[in-house]
Amino acid sequence: MKKLKVIISGGGTGGHIFPAISIANAVKEIEPQTEILFVGAEGRMEMERIPAAGYPIIGLPVRGFDRKNIFKNISVLFDLWKSMRKARKIIKDFNPDIAVGVGGYASGPTLKEASKAGIPILIQEQNSYAGVTNKLLARKAAAICVAYENMERFFPKEKIMLTGNPVRRDLQITPENRQKGYEYFHLDPDKKTVLVVGGSLGARTINQSMSAGIEKMKNSPIQFIWQTGKYYYENAKAEIDKHPGLPLHLTAFITRMDLAYSVADLIVSRAGAGSISEFCLLEKPVILVPSPNVAEDHQTQNALALVNKNAAILVKDHEAVNTLFDTILQSVQDQKLLQSLSKNITGLAQHHSAERIAEKIIEIAGNN
């Protein structure tokens, strides 16, 4: 069999980048000789993260549309035109056997130009509500790997594969990691632990909700790991420094998520597709606070896919500051509720997602 060549395109957030790297690693495990090239968006997170994972990447000048100032979109359209031209050249020079899109700005131009050149394309749609770009590309796709049921609302049914979203492999929950986690975060093993995360950049509403609950935190029997994100850390630290002795580990970023997940009895999080896939696989009860600042409000759709199966609790962003902290305290002390949420979310887990997607990529590429 000849050496396969695969382009993987997309990025913008960790939610797109981690699955992309997982898919690339899985392809290399099955076919070690495969040559993989990433295509991302200039100035975005993938331009650092992908080389750090050991893969080459080329950036396109593509950007998102400005919904508030339509006049700024003249330059956005020009950058899109430049990106299409650059993507065409990348396709011609690299001559891949398949192009894979994982979502993010770069995915559209790359997959469109690949399709025009007769290269088969595979879409990995991470959310329960498909984005505009993927809906437009679906007609030309050889396969569409999805993480949620009922995606035939958006895509041709015969092209859909329910694979789930690839997640980081290092997230192991074990009794040893639980014990290590209590020591690592300086927590009490006899107390219930709530893990509050807002992604690497943080989530303003979740942080405001935690700040609003500080007085209640003082007298509660619960302890917290509160990850603020880098933009909100200093403000949060100044706030909690006024209240010494809080049952709390405050951090801007958690490097040992395996240990944090291991000690968590309940998680509070945004409703990004990648995070939800991790919670399902790890059997973790979760309160979801969907971000309202995403395209087509897809995080609310992601959350509802779980809530409608009694597999998560939903707190709306605009209600969170007033209600989230009380919901946390009530939920984490209700053992029957925690067990029910854990059982129901486990039923939605999709295992070996990266390997299943990689096998489909290799099958399509090999037939090309």
Side-chain angles (χ1 to χ4, degrees):
M1 186 176 176
K2 77 178 181 77
K3 182 168 76 170
L4 296 177
K5 298 175 91 172
V6 178
I7 276 183
I8 300 177
S9 182
T13 65
H16 292 308
I17 296 164
F18 289 132
I21 293 169
S22 295
I23 292 167
N25 290 344
V27 168
K28 293 285 273 186
E29 279 180 20
I30 300 168
E31 288 291 342
Q33 298 304 309
T34 303
E35 196 176 337
I36 296 176
L37 174 67
F38 279 82
V39 179
E42 289 173 0
R44 305 288 288 187
M45 193 191 292
E46 59 266 28
M47 301 308 292
E48 291 179 11
R49 296 284 175 88
I50 300 298
Y55 294 101
I57 185 167
I58 300 173
L60 304 180
V62 65
R63 292 180 286 142
F65 283 95
D66 192 317
R67 292 163 197 235
K68 293 178 183 166
N69 187 340
I70 54 169
F71 296 108
K72 284 187 180 173
N73 288 326
I74 296 166
S75 64
V76 172
L77 286 167
F78 182 61
D79 283 340
L80 179 59
W81 176 76
K82 285 197 295 185
S83 296
M84 299 295 280
R85 287 189 63 185
K86 191 169 181 182
R88 195 175 312 146
K89 186 174 185 316
I90 293 166
I91 298 293
K92 190 179 173 197
D93 292 347
F94 187 67
N95 191 25
D97 297 293
I98 186 170
V100 179
V102 295
Y105 299 136
S107 195
T110 309
L111 265 60
K112 190 165 176 49
E113 290 300 328
S115 179
K116 277 162 66 177
I119 308 293
I121 63 173
L122 179 143
I123 294 168
Q124 199 247 328
E125 173 56 70
Q126 297 167 3
N127 295 297
S128 65
Y129 192 91
V132 175
T133 305
N134 280 351
K135 282 191 274 190
L136 292 171
L137 291 164
R139 214 163 38 88
K140 300 287 178 86
I144 303 161
C145 297
V146 301
Y148 293 89
E149 295 170 348
N150 305 317
M151 295 301 282
E152 54 272 15
R153 292 177 295 159
F154 310 109
F155 303 129
K157 190 174 183 178
E158 67 280 4
K159 295 182 178 183
I160 294 173
M161 270 183 72
L162 181 63
T163 58
N165 285 320
V167 299
R168 293 170 283 185
R169 287 188 177 176
D170 57 349
L171 299 176
Q172 297 286 325
I173 292 189
T174 62
E176 293 78 23
N177 273 355
R178 195 170 171 86
Q179 188 52 47
K180 261 194 225 169
Y182 288 125
E183 293 165 12
Y184 183 86
F185 295 108
H186 309 292
L187 297 172
D188 182 347
D190 297 323
K191 283 186 172 183
K192 291 277 191 194
T193 306
V194 178
L195 169 62
V196 182
V197 287
S200 54
L201 301 179
R204 179 188 281 113
T205 305
I206 292 177
N207 287 323
Q208 288 173 338
S209 306
M210 287 297 290
S211 293
I214 282 177
E215 285 298 329
K216 291 174 182 168
M217 195 189 296
K218 279 183 188 173
N219 306 313
S220 93
I222 313 304
Q223 59 193 351
F224 295 83
I225 301 170
W226 175 9
Q227 183 251 318
T228 62
K230 63 180 182 180
Y231 294 129
Y232 304 100
Y233 177 73
E234 292 304 331
N235 282 348
K237 188 167 186 321
E239 190 72 34
I240 68 156
D241 282 348
K242 298 174 193 168
H243 305 274
L246 288 173
L248 171 69
H249 178 91
L250 186 80
T251 179
F253 187 75
I254 298 173
T255 50
R256 291 299 304 270
M257 279 307 294
D258 56 335
L259 301 185
Y261 279 148
S262 291
V263 298
D265 297 289
L266 175 69
I267 298 169
V268 180
S269 171
R270 287 302 200 192
S275 298
I276 286 178
S277 295
E278 290 180 354
F279 305 148
C280 293
L281 286 166
L282 298 170
E283 307 177 11
K284 286 294 174 180
V286 61
I287 297 173
L288 297 170
V289 188
S291 169
N293 309 312
V294 292
E296 286 123 356
D297 196 24
H298 66 246
Q299 285 205 3
T300 298
Q301 305 298 325
N302 291 348
L304 287 172
L306 272 67
V307 172
N308 291 338
K309 296 188 175 180
N310 299 316
I313 297 166
L314 173 67
V315 173
K316 292 177 181 172
D317 188 86
H318 68 274
E319 296 172 353
V321 173
N322 294 322
T323 65
L324 178 58
F325 203 84
D326 287 337
T327 305
I328 292 170
L329 293 181
Q330 287 161 17
S331 304
V332 76
Q333 295 177 87
D334 184 340
Q335 195 57 35
K336 275 181 78 173
L337 173 66
L338 294 182
Q339 285 170 349
S340 169
L341 289 171
S342 178
K343 183 182 171 203
N344 293 339
I345 203 168
T346 306
L348 303 177
Q350 290 285 337
H351 296 271
H352 310 297
S353 299
E355 291 82 358
R356 285 155 66 195
I357 296 168
E359 283 166 4
K360 192 67 181 174
I361 290 169
I362 290 164
E363 177 196 318
I364 295 166
N367 291 336
N368 182 23

